[in-house]
Amino acid sequence: MSTSTQELAETVAGLTVPGKGILAADESDGTITKRFKEVEVVSTAETRRDYREMLFSTPGLSDFISGAILFEETLKQKSATGVPLLELLKAQGMVPGIKVDNGTVPLARFSGETVTQGVDGLAQRLGEYKQRGARFAKWRAVIYIGAGTPTPQAIAANAHILACYAAICQEQGMVPIVEPEVLMDGDHTLAVSARVTEEVLHAVFHALHQQRVALEHLILKPNMVEPGRTCPERATPQQVAQATLTCLRRTVPAAVPSINFLSGGQGEATATTNLQALNATIGKQPWALSFSFGRALQASALRAWRGDTANTSVAQQVLRKRSRLNSAAGQGKYSAAMEDE
Ligand code: 13P
């Protein structure tokens, strides 16, 4: 095994420990400002630092969390006592990663669709992030279901750029998290979500193959297949699990080690219940089925913290509990009764 293949394999092994998932704490400044506003916290470099310091120093977090995705600012920040925030993760044996895309821009001539930017200079940036201790990266492509969307062109453009990103990461010895998110915004049915997600994943894995990406050394971060947020026809966790697994089995090669779902705006308990159904209902799959939630891991912890360091311990207990429940769900051992324990 070459040195870079070996380091990719080691990072994958560190991230895919059974019973553990990935904490997505890589909200851009705009997104974290929105989340803070909901709990009446002003977003400054210092409050963002305090919040993420609270998350990363949660005692026992590494029992359930294998790694965390950071925003670039966080990678450079130090705790109140001068310890780099990334070292707080490493001290517990969690693997630090970094969001490397620069967000979406409109896709020219395709109204309502976007493409994700950030490939320019990516190899150099990855080198710097790696020097600071990051071992994996994340790139999010966004697909919108609406009247006439997604177009095949938007799917192809996003798939190609995701694959280019993944190839650049692997060449730099960083494990890529490949995140094609089909949004749950809209009134589309479960069947439409299934059709679009299947098309998108098919295009993504074709593009990954074409760009010579090693599937063994990446993690897929997809949406679960579910009805749009405003679709009157709701789906049970079993229906979500069935539709999601059908789609994944048709499109994701067995060489992929782990599928870590995003939560996409699902409530915390809903995301956990769906993950449980994915692991319990249908039997054995070729890949691990775990989580890389943002909101569905942090929402209650953020509400408990509210910008006050006096609430740190309570907020950490909340985060640890949510992580524990998702860990259980990732092993098919979660039940609703555990919410009240
Ligand atoms: P959510 O789980 O809140 O969707 O966030 C995951 C993520 O990393 C989005 O890019």
Side-chain angles (χ1 to χ4, degrees):
M1 230 189 249
S2 74
T3 321
S4 81
T5 304
Q6 191 170 349
E7 73 178 340
L8 290 170
E10 279 170 13
T11 301
V12 167
L15 287 172
T16 58
V17 181
K20 297 190 190 185
I22 296 170
L23 168 64
D26 60 328
E27 299 84 2
S28 64
D29 285 350
T31 302
I32 197 76
T33 299
K34 203 164 83 185
R35 306 261 187 272
F36 275 11
K37 209 168 170 189
E38 287 160 15
V39 295
E40 292 168 7
V41 174
V42 178
S43 177
T44 64
E46 197 180 344
T47 55
R48 293 192 290 272
R49 190 275 311 271
D50 289 348
Y51 176 62
R52 281 144 176 173
E53 178 176 348
M54 179 280 288
L55 296 177
F56 299 165
S57 57
T58 297
L61 189 64
S62 60
D63 290 345
F64 315 111
I65 299 291
S66 58
I69 317 170
L70 279 54
F71 189 59
E72 186 177 15
E73 175 190 67
T74 317
L75 195 68
K76 297 175 181 167
Q77 282 181 320
K78 291 184 174 163
S79 73
T81 56
V83 181
L85 292 188
L86 153 147
E87 292 298 333
L88 298 176
L89 295 168
K90 285 169 70 178
Q92 282 204 53
M94 292 180 276
V95 186
I98 170 129
K99 167 203 183 78
V100 299
D101 68 70
N102 291 335
T104 58
V105 287
L107 180 63
R109 302 189 72 79
F110 289 86
S111 175
E113 298 191 283
T114 63
V115 71
T116 304
Q117 51 181 1
V119 167
D120 280 9
L122 179 58
Q124 191 193 340
R125 281 197 288 137
L126 284 169
E128 291 162 18
Y129 299 148
K130 199 173 172 202
Q131 203 136 37
R132 286 183 181 272
R135 287 293 170 267
F136 68 99
K138 186 198 97 169
W139 181 289
R140 174 173 174 260
V142 187
I143 301 293
Y144 309 81
I145 300 182
T149 69
T151 59
Q153 292 91 333
I155 293 174
N158 279 288
H160 177 65
I161 293 175
L162 261 177
C164 291
Y165 140 82
I168 295 168
C169 283
Q170 290 188 342
E171 206 162 75
Q172 297 298 318
M174 295 270 266
V175 168
I177 292 192
V178 173
E179 181 181 7
E181 176 172 8
V182 178
L183 290 182
M184 61 189 278
D185 296 349
D187 62 359
H188 52 271
T189 60
L190 180 73
V192 170
S193 171
R195 177 175 56 72
V196 172
T197 304
E198 184 174 328
E199 265 176 52
V200 168
L201 289 176
H202 179 73
V204 167
F205 279 95
H206 180 63
L208 289 168
H209 172 75
Q210 286 194 315
Q211 298 310 126
R212 303 179 177 172
V213 173
L215 300 185
E216 291 79 1
H217 299 145
L218 64 78
I219 288 173
L220 178 68
K221 176 166 174 166
N223 51 287
M224 297 178 192
V225 175
E226 56 184 340
R229 210 188 305 277
T230 53
C231 175
E233 217 175 298
R234 304 314 301 165
T236 64
Q238 286 68 32
Q239 288 168 324
V240 169
Q242 183 71 60
T244 303
L245 284 172
T246 300
C247 175
L248 294 172
R249 292 182 69 90
R250 287 176 179 175
T251 53
V252 184
V256 172
S258 185
I259 297 176
N260 291 55
F261 294 96
L262 60 92
S263 59
Q266 298 179 27
E268 288 168 301
T270 302
T272 308
T273 306
N274 286 339
L275 184 62
Q276 164 68 20
L278 278 156
N279 276 288
T281 322
I282 296 145
K284 205 155 166 47
Q285 308 302 334
W287 352 261
L289 294 168
S290 186
F291 59 93
S292 174
F293 297 156
R295 284 161 285 182
L297 268 175
Q298 295 181 52
S300 297
L302 175 59
R303 276 197 298 276
W305 178 69
R306 287 193 167 275
D308 188 344
T309 46
N311 297 330
T312 292
S313 172
V314 175
Q316 289 178 333
Q317 283 174 38
V318 170
L319 174 65
R320 194 171 48 238
K321 177 176 177 184
R322 199 73 246 159
S323 303
R324 179 168 56 79
L325 299 185
N326 283 309
S327 163
Q331 301 169 84
K333 295 176 182 167
Y334 164 84
S335 69
M338 291 165 75
E339 295 284 343
D340 303 321
E341 277 168 12

